[in-house]
Amino acid sequence: MNDALETQVQTNPPAQPSCPRGGETPAGLKPLPMLEPEPVACCGPRPAPPSGDWERPGYWLWPFVEGFMDTAVGPVPQVKTRWERSDLIGSIGARIGFRNNYKIAPGLYAVGRPDPEAPVLVTANYKLTFDVLRKELAGLDVWLLVLDTRGINVWCAAGDKLFSTAELVNRLKLTGLEKVVNHRNLILPQLSATGVSALQVKRDGGFKVTWGPVRARDIKRFIAAGYEAEPAMRLVTFSILERLVLVPIEITALRKPVPWALLIIFGLSGLGPGVFSLGAAWGRGLMAALALLMAVLAGAAAAPILLPWLPGRTFSLKGAITGLAGGLAVVALVWGRAGWGEDLALVLLAASISSYLAMNFTGATPFTSPSGVEKEMRRAIPWQAAGLLASMILWIGAAFWA
């Protein structure tokens, strides 16, 4: 049986009936005459319509599965090209950072009613990637071969060697794809090229690799053009909208460290000549907390949005610039309530943290390379740590200088 079918279902033991059904009569009672031709349940609501051909006893199917196709390797799930409410909710959750284990079963799927001559598209088992692709396949009859990328998208999985030659060849063997289709051609996303050797797939798996477009929305035109990509389909972009999509993920990723950072800030703000002052912890702590929150917005939102227009090549420098602007804005807001040492501490705090947060985007942009990212981090992190340490010393010292 297809491995997608085996793992895409969830065990659901059948419920025990709470009353007689289907003509059964409790002992000692005589059956009542039928008052209408259609059978009626003896208790509760009227029975549901007859089961579809795809339903199996003891299992619950994912909402995107609408049926099964019989193939030479057994039943293959047919998937919908429209999203259900659960798909929409899941996509929102994934885009704001709640994406751990957001994956589907790897294996072979069908869109529409593909025949042995239908194209075969290969994708990752990250459910958001899978959902975006199937939505773009409305009106087509294709096979989907889903690789086990541990719930990671195509580009990142290829870089981590999860969307790989070995996994693709292994999945071809597990699904028995050569028995399902007559041709020997696979369409892989272009962004998977770093992890897959087309030559080795041909040699070990027996299938030829054709590189598809970068974006799922171009797949229909790509297939209609005889598997020829227009120049624009090969272009990797990083537009302002594509950058904005990443902002919620970066901000929600800070939901755990930020409360601890705020606790430390309020604790340090209370230190002074009288050892510790609750009034100072609250009054000075609010100013430092404002600088921290401004740093988060500067590094995780302003830096990626303004990326092409900020000077410098490194993300750490771009983040430091937005953080510097954010720190100066905080100083302007609290002007007159703090001394020069505290003002300088607020600016250093915002610039250091913003610079660090901006570096998170090095893994989500076509502007960088792994070696370049490592080089930047080795240079930037000591400066960021030094700025943060200087900020803390100035902040504590200012309480004794006042």
Side-chain angles (χ1 to χ4, degrees):
M1 181 180 290
N2 174 33
D3 55 341
L5 172 60
E6 292 176 339
T7 54
Q8 194 59 63
V9 293
Q10 174 180 314
T11 303
N12 181 23
Q16 296 297 324
S18 58
C19 63
R21 297 183 185 274
E24 297 177 0
T25 304
L29 296 179
K30 295 181 179 181
L32 295 174
M34 298 298 296
L35 301 180
E36 54 183 286
E38 182 181 359
V40 180
C42 64
C43 61
R46 186 181 298 275
S51 299
D53 293 337
W54 58 86
E55 295 189 28
R56 301 288 185 270
Y59 295 100
W60 172 84
L61 298 177
W62 282 75
F64 60 76
V65 177
E66 61 180 356
F68 287 90
M69 276 189 64
D70 289 327
T71 70
V73 295
V76 171
Q78 290 178 287
V79 300
K80 304 173 184 176
T81 55
R82 66 182 184 278
W83 283 15
E84 304 292 343
R85 181 181 300 176
S86 59
D87 299 319
L88 179 59
I89 294 174
S91 70
I92 294 173
R95 292 193 182 281
I96 63 174
F98 299 96
R99 52 183 176 174
N100 288 341
N101 209 35
Y102 193 54
K103 60 185 180 181
I104 66 165
L108 187 62
Y109 295 82
V111 176
R113 298 289 300 181
D115 58 27
E117 304 299 331
V120 179
L121 305 179
V122 183
T123 189
N125 77 327
Y126 177 40
K127 188 174 183 296
L128 184 56
T129 298
F130 176 78
D131 287 346
V132 170
L133 177 58
R134 65 185 173 90
K135 187 177 180 181
E136 298 294 337
L137 298 177
L140 296 182
D141 297 314
V142 299
W143 302 100
L144 282 181
L145 182 63
V146 178
L147 305 188
D148 185 5
T149 60
R150 317 292 176 84
I152 298 177
N153 65 69
V154 170
W155 190 14
C156 295
D160 286 342
K161 305 304 179 184
L162 296 175
F163 197 117
S164 64
T165 303
E167 166 58 17
L168 176 54
V169 171
N170 182 56
R171 198 57 52 185
L172 288 171
K173 295 177 180 178
L174 289 175
T175 57
L177 183 63
E178 75 281 357
K179 300 176 183 177
V180 178
V181 296
N182 294 334
H183 61 83
R184 294 294 180 265
N185 187 55
L186 303 173
I187 301 174
L188 271 67
Q190 180 179 313
L191 293 181
S192 69
T194 55
V196 177
S197 167
L199 182 62
Q200 194 172 341
V201 172
K202 176 67 174 177
R203 185 184 64 211
D204 299 340
F207 279 79
K208 175 188 174 183
V209 169
T210 298
W211 301 110
V214 170
R215 290 167 291 274
R217 64 173 179 263
D218 293 327
I219 194 66
K220 278 188 177 180
R221 285 191 296 140
F222 175 79
I223 293 176
Y227 310 130
E228 292 290 335
E230 301 170 7
M233 295 181 186
R234 299 293 187 203
L235 183 63
V236 178
T237 60
F238 200 42
S239 66
I240 187 169
L241 291 178
E242 291 169 329
R243 299 195 299 273
L244 277 171
V245 168
L246 302 174
V247 171
I249 296 177
E250 297 300 326
I251 291 179
T252 55
L254 300 173
R255 64 185 181 275
K256 292 183 179 180
V258 164
W260 287 105
L262 289 173
L263 183 62
I264 294 172
I265 281 175
F266 280 102
L268 295 178
S269 299
L271 298 177
V275 183
F276 191 84
S277 167
L278 289 176
W282 178 252
R284 299 178 73 231
L286 285 177
M287 291 188 290
L290 180 60
L292 174 64
L293 296 179
M294 185 66 77
V296 170
L297 292 177
I305 291 173
L306 302 175
L307 187 66
W309 303 287
L310 291 171
R313 292 179 57 87
T314 63
F315 281 62
S316 55
L317 176 59
K318 294 175 183 291
I321 293 172
T322 56
L324 178 63
L328 291 174
V330 172
V331 169
L333 287 174
V334 301
W335 188 259
R337 297 176 55 188
W340 68 268
E342 291 167 317
D343 290 341
L344 182 57
L346 294 176
V347 172
L348 284 174
L349 175 68
S352 300
I353 294 178
S354 175
S355 175
Y356 180 81
L357 294 179
M359 289 199 306
N360 288 340
F361 285 88
T362 56
T365 168
F367 298 167
T368 60
S369 64
S371 59
V373 171
E374 293 177 4
K375 183 178 180 180
E376 177 180 354
M377 292 180 66
R378 285 196 300 267
R379 291 181 174 180
I381 288 180
W383 286 102
Q384 294 160 354
L388 185 60
L389 180 61
S391 172
M392 294 171 62
I393 294 174
L394 282 169
W395 190 251
I396 296 173
F400 293 90
W401 302 334

